[in-house]
Structure formats: C-alpha cells, structure tokens
C-alpha cells in the first residue's frame, strides 16, 4: 500500500470546505480550518465535478456520508467500488479509502462523531458502525429516500454556512434526520453484504469502545488475540496512524464534546477521558489542538454563539 494521507480524503476532502460553490444560489462553505479541529463539528456542501487520479490512500478522524447525484466515481474502500447516481457512500472514522477517476457530482456531510453525544449518538451511528463491522459501504436508497436525503443535505449546507443563533442545534437536528434515514435504508433486507472484518477495523472498534479506560497497544493486541507488533504494523499501514494516536484521538474527541457541551472543570474532564494527571491531559490536548482546553473552550463557545 502506498503512503497514507491522514485526515485528508482523496475523494471527498478535495471537494470539501476549502472551496465555495460557484453558483451564487448555493451556500458558502465553512472554512476548512474551523471544521478540522472540531470547533464547528459538522460540515455539509456540494461535492464538485472533477477528474481525479488515484491519489494517496486517505483516512479521516471524522465520519463522511456522500450522496452521488450525477455521474460516476471509482473508489477503493473495502474493495473496488463504482459509485453511481443515487448511491450513498458511508466512510466511518479510520476507514482507509482511495479516490479514482471521477466525473461525479453530489452532496456530502462530514461530522466529528462526538457531536452526537453519548449513548444516543452511538445508536445513531449504527449504519457507519456496521460498515466498520464489515458491511458494504454503499447504500442504494429508494427514490423517495434519495429525495429526503438531498433535501436535508441542502438544508444542512445552508445552516452551517450561517452565523445565526441556534445554527449548531439546527445543524445537529438535520444531521440526526440524515442518520435516521440511513438507519431505515440499512434495515432493508438487501441493504448489506456478508461482513468481512479486517484486523485494523477490529482494533479501531475496540479502541473506540474502551478508550476512556486505561488502554495500551498491548491490551488492544491481547483483546484481538494477536501480537502487539502485528497489530501495530497493520493499523499503521492501513490508517497511517499508530494505535496510540487512535487512542489519543478518541479521548480528545470526548474531551472536545465535554468542553463544548458541558461546564465541567478541566480537571474533571481530564479524569473522565482517562487521565489521572490533569497536567498531562492539558499537555496532550495542547499538542493535538495547539491551545489549552480552556482556550479551546472559549474559542468553540464564541464560534457556537456567532
């Protein structure tokens, strides 16, 4: 496998928040630098028509849902895929994929999974988690389902482009509608194919489930029944990140959720996300985000209120 470009999607990220739509009737995209750190936890917008080479394998720390409305796109994700008009492509956090030649257009939404909250959020991630579990990553909704998804994608794109009170709450409500529709689609008898679960996906699923507990590479490897060296090598090769980096990312995601959505003190948050030493937590948070948790909270609050 060639080099991996973490957090830079070869197929979709190039069409994501870095550019604005050329049609003046379409919403302006939010700045990419504000979505990536999780300050604006949801992005939605047009996926542009472009011819692309194979590029590098890509891995996100966030989830992506894309609806193709026109054309065709070839992509490698759990095998060779051909996406056509009407298809919905699901990419869970940590799933490696590679873009190919495409003349497709469509709409996409990307979101940091912590925006959905605790147990309810996990239940709403069902379709994406089943892809992680080995189910086919392409859904084929009915005409009525496609129309509903398209309407909600457009409303989401409009909402995240605004600086109006209640923007984040409205965007989250629309995202939940999208995820509920995906759940309905996957409930159809022919919605998925037999699972084929890779070691890397097993490792990421285990990490997401146990990341707030004391956790190490050795514990992950033991749970999977493999050696630490083997697990470390496979995860690094397929995702471009180490097991330790994925543990850190999952903990930071929960920390961001609590910083944004609660008034808990930083030392309490540190303990809740697996750090007995608040100083170590602050140091790790600053290394990932470039600012302290308190400074991040202030900026996220200002963005959310804008």
């Amino acid at each position: 496998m060639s080099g991996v470009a973490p957090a830079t999607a070869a197929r979709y990220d190039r069409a994501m928040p870095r550019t604005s739509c050329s049609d003046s009737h379409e919403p302006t995209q939010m700045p990419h630098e504000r979505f990536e750190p999780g300050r604006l936890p949801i992005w939605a917008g047009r996926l542009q028509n472009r011819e692309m080479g194979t590029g590098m394998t890509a891995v996100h720390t966030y989830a992506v849902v894309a609806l193709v409305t026109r054309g065709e796109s070839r992509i490698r994700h759990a095998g060779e895929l051909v996406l056509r008009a009407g298809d919905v492509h699901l990419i869970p956090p940590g799933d490696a994929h590679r873009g190919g030649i495409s003349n497709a257009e469509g709409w996409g939404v990307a979101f940091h999974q912590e925006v959905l909250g605790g147990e309810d959020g996990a239940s709403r991630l069902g379709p994406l988690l089943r892809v992680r579990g080995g189910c086919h990553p392409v859904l084929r909704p009915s005409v009525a389902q496609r129309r509903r998804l398209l309407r909600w994608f457009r409303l989401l794109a409009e909402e995240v482009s605004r600086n109006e009170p209640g923007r984040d709450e409205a965007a989250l409500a629309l995202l939940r509608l999208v995820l509920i529709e995906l759940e309905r689609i996957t409930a159809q008898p022919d919605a998925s194919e037999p699972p084929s679960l890779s070691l890397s996906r097993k490792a990421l699923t285990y990490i997401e489930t146990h990341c707030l507990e004391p956790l190490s590479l050795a514990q992950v490897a033991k749970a999977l029944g493999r050696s630490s060296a083997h697990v470390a090598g496979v995860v690094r090769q397929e995702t471009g990140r180490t097991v330790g980096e994925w543990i850190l990312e999952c903990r930071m995601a929960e920390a961001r959720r609590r910083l944004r959505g609660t008034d808990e003190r930083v030392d309490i948050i540190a303990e809740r996300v697996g750090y007995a030493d608040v100083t170590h937590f602050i140091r790790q948070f600053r290394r990932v985000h470039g600012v302290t948790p308190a400074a991040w909270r202030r900026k996220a609050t200002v963005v959310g209120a804008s």
Side-chain angles (χ1 to χ4, degrees), residues 14-27:
R14 294 185 186 179
M16 281 178 50
R18 294 183 179 86
T19 60
S20 60
C21 294
S22 58
D23 187 340
S24 61
H25 297 290
E26 299 293 351

PDB file of all heavy atoms in Angstrom, residues 14-27:
ATOM      1  N   ARG A  14     -11.088  16.913  -1.042  1.00  0.00           N
ATOM      2  CA  ARG A  14     -10.685  17.919  -2.019  1.00  0.00           C
ATOM      3  C   ARG A  14     -11.876  18.750  -2.483  1.00  0.00           C
ATOM      4  O   ARG A  14     -11.707  19.834  -3.031  1.00  0.00           O
ATOM      5  CB  ARG A  14     -10.021  17.240  -3.212  1.00  0.00           C
ATOM      6  CG  ARG A  14      -8.701  16.579  -2.832  1.00  0.00           C
ATOM      7  CD  ARG A  14      -8.013  16.026  -4.064  1.00  0.00           C
ATOM      8  NE  ARG A  14      -6.825  15.286  -3.694  1.00  0.00           N
ATOM      9  CZ  ARG A  14      -6.037  14.686  -4.568  1.00  0.00           C
ATOM     10  NH1 ARG A  14      -6.314  14.753  -5.859  1.00  0.00           N
ATOM     11  NH2 ARG A  14      -4.971  14.020  -4.171  1.00  0.00           N
ATOM     12  N   ALA A  15     -13.071  18.198  -2.317  1.00  0.00           N
ATOM     13  CA  ALA A  15     -14.279  18.929  -2.701  1.00  0.00           C
ATOM     14  C   ALA A  15     -14.967  19.544  -1.499  1.00  0.00           C
ATOM     15  O   ALA A  15     -16.028  20.101  -1.627  1.00  0.00           O
ATOM     16  CB  ALA A  15     -15.251  17.976  -3.393  1.00  0.00           C
ATOM     17  N   MET A  16     -14.336  19.449  -0.324  1.00  0.00           N
ATOM     18  CA  MET A  16     -14.991  19.891   0.896  1.00  0.00           C
ATOM     19  C   MET A  16     -14.692  21.346   1.213  1.00  0.00           C
ATOM     20  O   MET A  16     -14.585  22.159   0.322  1.00  0.00           O
ATOM     21  CB  MET A  16     -14.650  18.933   2.039  1.00  0.00           C
ATOM     22  CG  MET A  16     -15.493  17.672   1.960  1.00  0.00           C
ATOM     23  SD  MET A  16     -15.117  16.491   3.230  1.00  0.00           S
ATOM     24  CE  MET A  16     -15.179  17.491   4.722  1.00  0.00           C
ATOM     25  N   PRO A  17     -14.557  21.743   2.484  1.00  0.00           N
ATOM     26  CA  PRO A  17     -14.702  23.156   2.802  1.00  0.00           C
ATOM     27  C   PRO A  17     -13.645  24.103   2.277  1.00  0.00           C
ATOM     28  O   PRO A  17     -13.720  25.279   2.567  1.00  0.00           O
ATOM     29  CB  PRO A  17     -14.694  23.144   4.338  1.00  0.00           C
ATOM     30  CG  PRO A  17     -15.053  21.760   4.724  1.00  0.00           C
ATOM     31  CD  PRO A  17     -14.462  20.915   3.664  1.00  0.00           C
ATOM     32  N   ARG A  18     -12.671  23.648   1.550  1.00  0.00           N
ATOM     33  CA  ARG A  18     -11.648  24.571   1.079  1.00  0.00           C
ATOM     34  C   ARG A  18     -12.175  25.529   0.012  1.00  0.00           C
ATOM     35  O   ARG A  18     -11.598  26.572  -0.223  1.00  0.00           O
ATOM     36  CB  ARG A  18     -10.477  23.782   0.494  1.00  0.00           C
ATOM     37  CG  ARG A  18      -9.739  22.954   1.544  1.00  0.00           C
ATOM     38  CD  ARG A  18      -8.543  22.263   0.916  1.00  0.00           C
ATOM     39  NE  ARG A  18      -7.830  21.497   1.901  1.00  0.00           N
ATOM     40  CZ  ARG A  18      -8.120  20.252   2.241  1.00  0.00           C
ATOM     41  NH1 ARG A  18      -9.147  19.650   1.703  1.00  0.00           N
ATOM     42  NH2 ARG A  18      -7.413  19.612   3.139  1.00  0.00           N
ATOM     43  N   THR A  19     -13.262  25.157  -0.688  1.00  0.00           N
ATOM     44  CA  THR A  19     -13.757  25.989  -1.773  1.00  0.00           C
ATOM     45  C   THR A  19     -15.212  26.325  -1.550  1.00  0.00           C
ATOM     46  O   THR A  19     -15.912  25.662  -0.795  1.00  0.00           O
ATOM     47  CB  THR A  19     -13.634  25.250  -3.121  1.00  0.00           C
ATOM     48  OG1 THR A  19     -14.408  24.048  -3.063  1.00  0.00           O
ATOM     49  CG2 THR A  19     -12.195  24.926  -3.429  1.00  0.00           C
ATOM     50  N   SER A  20     -15.688  27.353  -2.235  1.00  0.00           N
ATOM     51  CA  SER A  20     -17.101  27.698  -2.166  1.00  0.00           C
ATOM     52  C   SER A  20     -17.761  27.344  -3.491  1.00  0.00           C
ATOM     53  O   SER A  20     -17.110  27.198  -4.515  1.00  0.00           O
ATOM     54  CB  SER A  20     -17.273  29.193  -1.884  1.00  0.00           C
ATOM     55  OG  SER A  20     -16.666  29.955  -2.906  1.00  0.00           O
ATOM     56  N   CYS A  21     -19.076  27.216  -3.454  1.00  0.00           N
ATOM     57  CA  CYS A  21     -19.807  26.846  -4.660  1.00  0.00           C
ATOM     58  C   CYS A  21     -19.804  28.000  -5.647  1.00  0.00           C
ATOM     59  O   CYS A  21     -19.901  29.163  -5.271  1.00  0.00           O
ATOM     60  CB  CYS A  21     -21.243  26.483  -4.287  1.00  0.00           C
ATOM     61  SG  CYS A  21     -21.358  25.007  -3.264  1.00  0.00           S
ATOM     62  N   SER A  22     -19.716  27.671  -6.913  1.00  0.00           N
ATOM     63  CA  SER A  22     -19.688  28.714  -7.933  1.00  0.00           C
ATOM     64  C   SER A  22     -21.063  29.317  -8.160  1.00  0.00           C
ATOM     65  O   SER A  22     -21.192  30.460  -8.573  1.00  0.00           O
ATOM     66  CB  SER A  22     -19.155  28.133  -9.246  1.00  0.00           C
ATOM     67  OG  SER A  22     -19.954  27.040  -9.665  1.00  0.00           O
ATOM     68  N   ASP A  23     -22.125  28.555  -7.900  1.00  0.00           N
ATOM     69  CA  ASP A  23     -23.486  29.052  -8.076  1.00  0.00           C
ATOM     70  C   ASP A  23     -23.841  29.948  -6.909  1.00  0.00           C
ATOM     71  O   ASP A  23     -23.801  29.531  -5.764  1.00  0.00           O
ATOM     72  CB  ASP A  23     -24.446  27.855  -8.139  1.00  0.00           C
ATOM     73  CG  ASP A  23     -25.860  28.266  -8.497  1.00  0.00           C
ATOM     74  OD1 ASP A  23     -26.183  29.446  -8.333  1.00  0.00           O
ATOM     75  OD2 ASP A  23     -26.618  27.387  -8.935  1.00  0.00           O
ATOM     76  N   SER A  24     -24.218  31.185  -7.189  1.00  0.00           N
ATOM     77  CA  SER A  24     -24.498  32.122  -6.115  1.00  0.00           C
ATOM     78  C   SER A  24     -25.710  31.730  -5.293  1.00  0.00           C
ATOM     79  O   SER A  24     -25.915  32.236  -4.200  1.00  0.00           O
ATOM     80  CB  SER A  24     -24.735  33.525  -6.695  1.00  0.00           C
ATOM     81  OG  SER A  24     -25.854  33.503  -7.583  1.00  0.00           O
ATOM     82  N   HIS A  25     -26.552  30.811  -5.808  1.00  0.00           N
ATOM     83  CA  HIS A  25     -27.715  30.375  -5.057  1.00  0.00           C
ATOM     84  C   HIS A  25     -27.359  29.273  -4.064  1.00  0.00           C
ATOM     85  O   HIS A  25     -28.192  28.919  -3.232  1.00  0.00           O
ATOM     86  CB  HIS A  25     -28.804  29.871  -6.007  1.00  0.00           C
ATOM     87  CG  HIS A  25     -29.312  30.936  -6.931  1.00  0.00           C
ATOM     88  ND1 HIS A  25     -30.072  31.982  -6.481  1.00  0.00           N
ATOM     89  CD2 HIS A  25     -29.140  31.126  -8.264  1.00  0.00           C
ATOM     90  CE1 HIS A  25     -30.389  32.773  -7.502  1.00  0.00           C
ATOM     91  NE2 HIS A  25     -29.834  32.265  -8.589  1.00  0.00           N
ATOM     92  N   GLU A  26     -26.164  28.737  -4.171  1.00  0.00           N
ATOM     93  CA  GLU A  26     -25.756  27.686  -3.244  1.00  0.00           C
ATOM     94  C   GLU A  26     -25.058  28.304  -2.042  1.00  0.00           C
ATOM     95  O   GLU A  26     -24.483  29.379  -2.119  1.00  0.00           O
ATOM     96  CB  GLU A  26     -24.781  26.705  -3.939  1.00  0.00           C
ATOM     97  CG  GLU A  26     -25.389  25.992  -5.129  1.00  0.00           C
ATOM     98  CD  GLU A  26     -26.502  25.031  -4.732  1.00  0.00           C
ATOM     99  OE1 GLU A  26     -26.685  24.795  -3.528  1.00  0.00           O
ATOM    100  OE2 GLU A  26     -27.194  24.539  -5.626  1.00  0.00           O
ATOM    101  N   PRO A  27     -25.078  27.588  -0.897  1.00  0.00           N
ATOM    102  CA  PRO A  27     -24.474  28.148   0.309  1.00  0.00           C
ATOM    103  C   PRO A  27     -22.959  28.207   0.222  1.00  0.00           C
ATOM    104  O   PRO A  27     -22.329  27.403  -0.456  1.00  0.00           O
ATOM    105  CB  PRO A  27     -24.908  27.146   1.396  1.00  0.00           C
ATOM    106  CG  PRO A  27     -25.129  25.869   0.657  1.00  0.00           C
ATOM    107  CD  PRO A  27     -25.671  26.268  -0.687  1.00  0.00           C
TER     108      PRO A  27
END
